[in-house]
Amino acid sequence: FFFGNDQGLLAVQLSVEMTVLPAEELEFEKRNALYKDELAARLDVLSGFINTVKPKAEAASQPTKPAPRRTSVGAGGTVTNFGVDYLYEMFERKDLDKFRAVGGLTGLASSKYLDTNLRKGIDASSVPDRREKFGDNCLPEAEMMTFWEHIMDALGDTMMLILCAAAVISLVLGLTVPDPHTGKIEYSTGWIEGAAILVSVTVVVFVTAINNYTKAQKFAELSAETSKRKVNVIRDGIKQQIDSTEIVVGDVLFVSSGDLLPADAILIDGVECKCDESTVTGEADIVDKDAEFDPFLIAGTSLMQGAGRAMVTGCGVNSTCGKQLALIRGSAEQETPLQKKLSVLADDIGYMGGAAAALTFIVLSIKELYMVMYGTNHLHLKPFLDFLIVAVTIVVVAIPEGLPLAVTIALAYSMREMMADNCLVRVMAACETMGGADAICSDKTGTLTTNTMTVVQAWVAEKRVVVPGSGIPVPNTGRGEGLLDGLNPFVVDQFCEACALNSTAEEKVTESGRTWTGNKTEIGILKFIKEKVGQDPMALQRSFPAESLRQFPFNPDKKRMTTVARKGNKFVSYVKGAPDLLLLQCEEYMSTSGKRMPLTKDKREYLKAVITDMALLGNRCILVGTADLPVVSMPAEDPEGSNFCVLSILGIQDPIREEVPGAVHKCQNAGITVRMVTGDNKQTACSIAEKAGIFQKEVGLAMEGIEFRQMAEEQPERLASLLPRLQVLARSSPQDKYILVEMLKKAGNTVAVTGDGTNDAPALKLADVGFAMYTGTEIAKTASDVVLLDDNFVSVVKACMWGRNVNDNIKKFIQFQVTVNIVGVALTFFGAAFSDTNTAPLTPVQLLWLNLIMDTLAALALATEQPSEKLLDREPSSRDSSLITKRMWINIGGHAVFQLILMLWLMSEGAANWFNVAPHSIVHRTVVFNVFIIVQIWNEFNARKLHGEFNVFSGMERSTGHLRVTVVMVLFQWCAVQYFGDFFGTRALNVPQWLACIGLGALCLPYGAALNLATGSEESRPVAAAPSRQSSGKFVTEGRAMTQRIRVAKAFGEVDSKKFS
């Protein structure tokens, strides 16, 4: 009576029943729990009555047995002094008792701790104080290795330590022990060799540390960039978009389906909110969220369905999963598959180098002992130390530490350059994996199309209209400003009301003018209402108070969105969605006069024909309907029923991107099968796929999701035979896409998938490379490997090209590096073994110089070449293909033999006479060293081609970096020979000698051309699209396995799409 409404009556009724029914204990407990729940939820409204009712309620509600845990929450808490630790424990345990103790949602919001207005949000002026008091929403950066630690890590290499030890011993012996040839201690020169080795080791260590330090910084920057995302909050009563890192405790946060929750928050209100908390609990079940029984929204979890508002209570390191996320961020970087392959290759080459080094040491030692026995030399420790240094240097040269460096450079360079092609790479391995992709499962909307939805035709209450200028070959019966002129005004109002209220899109006024925000389809419908019908959808929305509306977001299983509106004393449901499903639930249609008419069989067939006509023109069809609900209060869940009335069928056009047909053709020419997976009906999907060049009626196959699932269960062999021809999967559900990806992968395909919705996440995660749309949900982005910044299919094709380019660049370096290693090791062994002086043709310092510039600079030159579209003129490489192809072995072996013969000739007296220098003199040795380095520089150009191409200079316009690095290498070599002779054991050469060295090195170019002509080119072309018997067999095997998985899922009742996914 005090309130004059049902709330006051409820309080009095509860108070009376608690006192007059104490004897009926069992019945009392049930009713008491029920009434207490309802009362507690409204205590913030009953502020004047609360102190009278609540003591009675608490006294009367003392249970004789434990109360159930599922208890609602109210205000009037007893705990007023709480802090970060209290809220952390409350969230960690989902402790409703702690929540009630602080007064529930209202108590938290009104407390001095949070001081939040649940409707208007926080004051923007309080943000700095809140950030200082509670911390920001950023995790502490993972502790990175310092530059000094990178130096120590590089210096800790076993071979580097052995070289350092040998250099120190050489330095000591050179300054304390007489030279065995002169019998004197050479103070002026005895220190040079040991010091030169130490300097060379220092340079190698510093270069390695700089490379690793730079790489770590680049990936830290990329990780920080990809972790940012936008969220919507309300501050000072104004809804605004901020970066997730700017959230503070107390913010009122808007959440919707697909969001990755950025902070711990308490749900204020929401509709059908369901969360995936598997990242925190490890349980795969989807958890229902509501403001009474489970209001805890945990940071790092995903909102799979629904929408609502929540109040932030913990962020950053003070959130529930802050510590776990900090640990994940600080975890070690994982090797990519290609890096693992290269590690194995490097180990194998290193073992062979170690064997060659041991053999070299043994041969030189035996020769030295032989000379000592026959009196040619005196027994001395110094020669054996020199042999050890040479052997260790051979191992250092043989180990291709440049391979991991080349991979790192290639991947980092590609990741940076792919940003310019609108591909934000989140997972480094995706750069290389896309090079082997042979199947792409693409969404339609926004990826193949422009995602600019426009209503071009409609059926409204028996009247068909076409928007002028759309090119639709249907007579336009509309006239004047409004296309629906001539219809009963009641019908027009009903149609506009149904479209405006059942929408999340809105028109905003900004500094730059009026802009539309929200779902693209809904924007298209509202613009049609405003521009073509002549009504203001925003005014219609404002005419209904917020409390008189309840929206139920789009449900992917029901293929519809619903809004319930309170109109006077009745409740009306408005729906829009897939017409083939909604039409089955319609029993009436709206006539031109505004009367609801029975939907007869003939009329139903007519509407199906209208839908088919629209779909065949490539239009997306949306059915708009309404129903009067037989309820007396606002429903809490999407009302079911089959008594809808058809108001309208809209034909929405989303044009194909102009560049898509060409991109699809490039994929097909590259041996990549493109499949379109969409929720549109079969006719619309086929029409659009045909325009995009994906669907060929003569050979291609289009299926609907229901047929696909049924065949996967009942006829797996038949599906296996049809799957290679499948080009369009229409009316597909998320599990359809998941099953398709799994079958393709098990059949040996490397699969790329595009997606933007929350329900696409399982398929994105399962695919070899998942592409999420930039406009997609946070869950989709988190599950993906690459984010398409322009949501364009062309960017997927560019990613394929970059992937192939990464693999090619790394193979180019392998081809070059292995040639250098083979020649370097063989030359050192044979030169030393057959030398009259028992010395290696190249000193340890010269070998380290070779190792330094050939590993680091050559990796920089070959790993950063730009891609060309010719990369798409051949088949993709399989995931099991060898790193070194047959053609590469021909190039490696051919050039190694040529270089070894050239170098052995240079060591001879005939070559010395040709250069007009004394045989075996220091100048002669300088010529050998100089030609060896120069021939490697020239051979880099040969290494640019992997398939036996004749012109090794083609495409140099895309390799300006290669040319710059080549100039740097030549300058380094010139300085080493001309100005650091004592250090490198060389003497300055004159101009004719330099020209002769350059000319001899350049001989590898015509030799390479002759080798290519003799062995032929193996540039591969894509094979026909028809599947092989082997691939068909794989599909059959996978079809049977899929049937078994579906049966197991059904046996456990997991038929819900999200659980199944």
Side-chain angles (χ1 to χ4, degrees):
F1 290 107
F2 178 81
F3 287 92
N5 55 26
D6 59 345
Q7 294 170 343
L9 180 61
L10 168 68
V12 174
Q13 184 180 10
L14 175 60
S15 177
V16 171
E17 289 200 14
M18 284 179 175
T19 55
V20 301
L21 299 174
E24 301 176 19
E25 186 174 316
L26 183 60
E27 185 65 17
F28 170 79
E29 278 195 4
K30 292 180 181 178
R31 278 187 292 178
N32 180 35
L34 176 64
Y35 285 131
K36 184 183 174 186
D37 286 359
E38 186 69 15
L39 174 67
R42 300 172 183 261
L43 280 178
D44 55 335
V45 181
L46 304 176
S47 55
F49 204 49
I50 205 170
N51 294 327
T52 304
V53 175
K54 193 179 181 199
K56 296 181 180 180
E58 290 180 343
S61 62
Q62 297 298 324
T64 57
K65 54 186 179 182
R69 284 188 59 84
R70 191 170 174 83
T71 308
S72 62
V73 196
T78 58
V79 176
T80 57
N81 186 18
F82 56 87
V84 172
D85 293 338
Y86 184 94
L87 293 178
Y88 179 87
E89 291 179 6
M90 180 180 76
F91 265 84
E92 186 181 33
R93 302 172 185 175
K94 291 188 179 181
D95 196 329
L96 287 173
D97 292 333
K98 284 183 176 291
F99 188 37
R100 289 196 301 273
V102 297
L105 175 64
T106 307
L108 269 177
S110 60
S111 67
K112 294 181 179 179
Y113 185 78
L114 294 184
D115 189 21
T116 298
N117 186 307
L118 295 179
R119 288 190 300 115
K120 296 183 178 180
I122 62 174
D123 293 333
S125 59
S126 68
V127 170
D129 293 337
R130 291 173 184 269
R131 188 170 286 124
E132 182 178 355
K133 182 177 179 180
F134 307 117
D136 55 21
N137 197 34
C138 297
L139 294 174
E141 294 184 3
E143 187 175 348
M144 293 177 58
M145 289 177 63
T146 64
F147 183 65
W148 175 251
E149 289 172 332
H150 279 290
I151 290 176
M152 298 306 296
D153 183 62
L155 190 60
D157 182 78
T158 304
M159 293 303 162
M160 291 293 111
L161 294 176
I162 293 175
L163 275 179
C164 288
V168 170
I169 295 173
S170 175
L171 192 63
V172 171
L173 293 180
L175 296 176
T176 59
V177 178
D179 186 280
H181 299 291
T182 63
K184 298 179 180 180
I185 299 176
E186 302 289 347
Y187 291 106
S188 60
T189 59
W191 60 273
I192 292 178
E193 184 176 44
I197 294 174
L198 287 176
V199 171
S200 299
V201 169
T202 301
V203 172
V204 171
V205 166
F206 266 86
V207 170
T208 303
I210 290 171
N211 285 331
N212 292 338
Y213 182 68
T214 303
K215 182 189 73 171
Q217 284 188 319
K218 291 293 183 185
F219 283 112
E221 292 172 5
L222 179 68
S223 176
E225 186 66 29
T226 55
S227 65
K228 292 181 180 179
R229 55 185 183 274
K230 297 295 183 181
V231 296
N232 290 313
V233 298
I234 185 167
R235 292 177 178 174
D236 295 330
I238 302 173
K239 185 177 180 181
Q240 52 190 280
Q241 190 176 72
I242 62 173
D243 193 273
S244 60
T245 58
E246 298 175 4
I247 292 173
V248 294
V249 170
D251 263 324
V252 174
L253 180 69
F254 291 86
V255 295
S256 59
S257 177
D259 284 352
L260 188 67
L261 300 177
D264 285 345
I266 295 292
L267 185 65
I268 300 173
D269 50 47
V271 180
E272 293 190 339
C273 292
K274 299 177 184 293
C275 279
D276 176 7
E277 297 183 348
S278 57
T279 55
V280 176
T281 64
E283 300 293 335
D285 293 336
I286 303 300
V287 180
D288 291 331
K289 295 291 178 178
D290 58 67
E292 290 183 296
F293 303 124
D294 188 354
F296 303 106
L297 302 182
I298 302 174
T301 61
S302 306
L303 189 65
M304 303 300 292
Q305 183 178 319
R309 298 182 305 140
M311 180 178 65
V312 176
T313 59
C315 58
V317 293
N318 295 321
S319 64
T320 305
C321 65
K323 294 181 181 179
Q324 291 87 335
L325 291 177
L327 291 174
I328 292 172
R329 178 173 289 187
S331 61
E333 183 183 313
Q334 299 294 316
E335 283 189 326
T336 70
L338 183 57
Q339 285 175 321
K340 292 177 181 178
K341 282 185 180 181
L342 288 173
S343 296
V344 173
L345 177 63
D347 290 343
D348 292 341
I349 296 175
Y351 293 146
M352 290 187 287
L359 186 61
T360 301
F361 180 78
I362 292 171
V363 170
L364 291 177
S365 298
I366 292 174
K367 284 184 64 180
E368 181 68 21
L369 292 173
Y370 177 83
M371 292 178 181
V372 170
M373 289 175 59
Y374 285 90
T376 306
N377 292 343
H378 298 286
L379 184 62
H380 199 279
L381 179 61
K382 184 68 166 60
F384 293 97
L385 178 63
D386 292 340
F387 301 157
L388 176 63
I389 292 175
V390 170
V392 173
T393 306
I394 288 175
V395 175
V396 173
V397 172
I399 295 175
E401 64 269 18
L403 288 181
L405 177 62
V407 175
T408 300
I409 292 174
L411 293 176
Y413 175 75
S414 298
M415 291 172 72
R416 187 189 69 187
E417 292 298 310
M418 286 172 72
M419 281 286 289
D421 284 335
N422 298 304
C423 294
L424 173 62
V425 180
R426 298 185 65 256
V427 179
M428 186 170 63
C431 292
E432 65 190 55
T433 307
M434 275 307 296
D438 54 11
I440 298 176
C441 299
S442 176
D443 278 352
K444 174 186 72 72
T445 304
T447 309
L448 300 173
T449 62
T450 60
N451 200 19
T452 52
M453 303 292 188
T454 305
V455 177
V456 294
Q457 58 178 316
W459 180 95
V460 182
E462 298 189 288
K463 180 177 182 179
R464 293 192 69 175
V465 295
V466 172
V467 175
S470 62
I472 304 297
V474 178
N476 180 17
T477 58
R479 293 290 185 270
E481 178 68 21
L483 286 179
L484 303 185
D485 290 348
L487 284 178
N488 187 310
F490 170 77
V491 174
V492 177
D493 291 343
Q494 283 282 294
F495 166 67
C496 294
E497 196 173 89
C499 294
L501 298 184
N502 192 25
S503 175
T504 58
E506 56 183 338
E507 187 180 28
K508 293 183 177 180
V509 179
T510 63
E511 295 179 356
S512 58
R514 292 181 176 271
T515 59
W516 290 89
T517 61
N519 180 274
K520 299 291 186 180
T521 301
E522 294 180 340
I523 291 174
I525 295 174
L526 295 191
K527 289 175 73 174
F528 175 75
I529 297 297
K530 181 176 182 179
E531 298 170 6
K532 305 302 178 184
V533 180
Q535 292 203 19
D536 185 357
M538 295 297 99
L540 286 172
Q541 291 181 3
R542 291 191 295 268
S543 66
F544 281 78
E547 59 271 16
S548 67
L549 296 174
R550 173 163 290 183
Q551 286 189 340
F552 300 93
F554 178 79
N555 187 307
D557 296 327
K558 299 177 182 178
K559 297 287 185 183
R560 79 182 191 206
M561 175 183 175
T562 306
T563 294
V564 177
R566 183 171 186 171
K567 302 178 71 174
N569 295 325
K570 68 175 184 178
F571 291 85
V572 179
S573 172
Y574 296 114
V575 295
K576 71 170 183 283
D580 48 345
L581 297 181
L582 275 181
L583 192 59
L584 298 175
Q585 303 172 40
C586 294
E587 299 295 335
E588 298 174 323
Y589 71 94
M590 184 71 71
S591 68
T592 308
S593 62
K595 294 182 179 179
R596 297 192 179 192
M597 307 296 292
L599 192 59
T600 63
K601 182 179 179 181
D602 290 342
K603 197 65 176 182
R604 192 181 296 272
E605 292 300 321
Y606 168 74
L607 291 180
K608 288 182 180 179
V610 170
I611 294 168
T612 301
D613 289 343
M614 291 183 180
L616 288 175
L617 293 171
N619 295 328
R620 182 181 184 185
C621 300
I622 300 291
L623 187 147
V624 179
T626 183
D628 294 332
L629 300 180
V631 296
V632 295
S633 61
M634 183 68 74
E637 296 182 353
D638 188 354
E640 299 293 341
S642 59
N643 58 342
F644 290 113
C645 174
V646 182
L647 286 175
S648 174
I649 298 171
L650 302 175
I652 302 176
Q653 191 176 78
D654 186 11
I656 291 284
R657 293 179 184 267
E658 292 182 4
E659 61 273 24
V660 163
V664 170
H665 177 71
K666 289 178 182 178
C667 285
Q668 293 165 344
N669 195 45
I672 303 172
T673 302
V674 181
R675 295 177 174 87
M676 189 175 82
V677 184
T678 178
D680 286 340
N681 65 44
K682 192 172 180 179
Q683 291 89 348
T684 302
C686 289
S687 175
I688 293 174
E690 191 172 3
K691 292 178 183 177
I694 295 174
F695 182 57
Q696 293 88 34
K697 290 182 179 180
E698 297 77 12
V699 296
L701 176 67
M703 299 178 70
E704 291 195 342
I706 295 176
E707 179 188 6
F708 178 81
R709 288 193 301 276
Q710 185 176 2
M711 192 174 293
E713 179 182 0
E714 299 175 1
Q715 297 176 293
E717 290 82 4
R718 187 182 174 207
L719 178 61
S721 64
L722 296 176
L723 196 55
R725 292 176 49 222
L726 180 64
Q727 295 173 345
V728 176
L729 187 59
R731 278 287 176 249
S732 63
S733 64
Q735 62 263 36
D736 295 332
K737 182 184 284 190
Y738 185 90
I739 292 171
L740 176 61
V741 173
E742 187 174 17
M743 292 184 72
L744 290 171
K745 283 189 66 176
K746 290 296 179 64
N749 297 98
T750 301
V751 186
V753 170
T754 68
D756 58 357
T758 300
N759 291 313
D760 290 324
L764 290 170
K765 198 70 176 176
L766 177 66
D768 294 288
V769 181
F771 288 89
M773 304 299 109
Y774 183 70
T775 55
T777 65
E778 290 301 326
I779 296 175
K781 294 178 188 177
T782 303
S784 69
D785 303 293
V786 181
V787 177
L788 298 181
L789 301 180
D790 61 351
D791 296 358
N792 196 332
F793 180 79
V794 173
S795 298
V796 179
V797 181
K798 290 179 180 178
C800 290
M801 188 169 64
W802 272 105
R804 295 188 180 194
N805 190 64
V806 167
N807 286 314
D808 275 12
N809 285 351
I810 292 170
K811 286 183 176 181
K812 291 172 187 177
F813 181 75
I814 291 173
Q815 184 171 264
F816 172 77
Q817 178 76 67
V818 174
T819 303
V820 174
N821 288 359
I822 290 174
V823 177
V825 171
L827 179 64
T828 304
F829 173 74
F830 288 115
F834 296 104
S835 170
D836 295 336
T837 59
N838 206 29
T839 56
L842 300 176
T843 67
V845 174
Q846 291 171 353
L847 286 172
L848 287 174
W849 175 250
L850 169 73
N851 186 64
L852 177 67
I853 66 171
M854 291 302 112
D855 275 3
T856 304
L857 295 179
L860 194 60
L862 292 171
T864 57
E865 291 208 0
Q866 291 276 344
S868 73
E869 292 194 355
K870 289 184 178 180
L871 291 168
L872 299 176
D873 290 340
R874 65 172 191 262
E875 297 177 24
S877 57
S878 67
R879 66 177 75 232
D880 299 324
S881 61
S882 174
L883 280 174
I884 304 180
T885 64
K886 180 181 177 181
R887 177 73 237 183
M888 290 172 64
W889 277 121
I890 292 174
N891 293 340
I892 291 169
H895 284 282
V897 170
F898 168 77
Q899 290 183 27
L900 190 58
I901 293 174
L902 176 64
M903 298 311 299
L904 290 176
W905 173 78
L906 277 172
M907 292 165 57
S908 67
E909 292 185 10
N913 295 331
W914 189 75
F915 272 91
N916 196 23
V917 297
H920 309 302
S921 64
I922 192 168
V923 179
H924 186 195
R925 293 169 63 90
T926 300
V927 168
V928 173
F929 167 60
N930 202 32
V931 172
F932 187 52
I933 296 296
I934 290 174
V935 78
Q936 307 311 325
I937 295 175
W938 282 117
N939 195 43
E940 278 186 30
F941 293 96
N942 284 321
R944 292 183 64 247
K945 303 301 178 181
L946 299 172
H947 307 290
E949 297 93 328
F950 179 78
N951 184 7
V952 297
F953 293 103
S954 65
M956 284 303 299
E957 67 277 2
R958 300 187 311 274
S959 304
T960 55
H962 188 157
L963 294 176
R964 287 194 294 267
V965 172
T966 299
V967 172
V968 171
M969 293 169 71
V970 172
L971 289 176
F972 278 3
Q973 179 63 15
W974 181 71
C975 291
V977 171
Q978 298 299 113
Y979 299 108
F980 296 93
D982 291 340
F983 185 81
F984 285 97
T986 61
R987 289 294 180 266
L989 301 178
N990 56 38
V991 173
Q993 289 170 336
W994 265 103
L995 293 176
C997 290
I998 293 172
L1000 284 175
L1003 289 176
C1004 69
L1005 295 177
Y1007 172 81
L1011 180 66
N1012 292 335
L1013 286 175
T1015 55
S1017 172
E1018 65 167 22
E1019 289 185 89
S1020 55
R1021 301 292 303 175
V1023 295
S1028 64
R1029 290 177 178 268
Q1030 183 179 3
S1031 64
S1032 296
K1034 289 181 179 178
F1035 277 118
V1036 171
T1037 302
E1038 179 53 25
R1040 291 169 178 161
M1042 186 59 62
T1043 301
Q1044 185 62 27
R1045 282 192 286 276
I1046 292 174
R1047 287 171 179 165
V1048 170
K1050 285 194 172 184
F1052 283 92
E1054 294 183 355
V1055 295
D1056 181 81
S1057 64
K1058 299 177 185 62
K1059 291 183 179 180
F1060 185 84
S1061 297

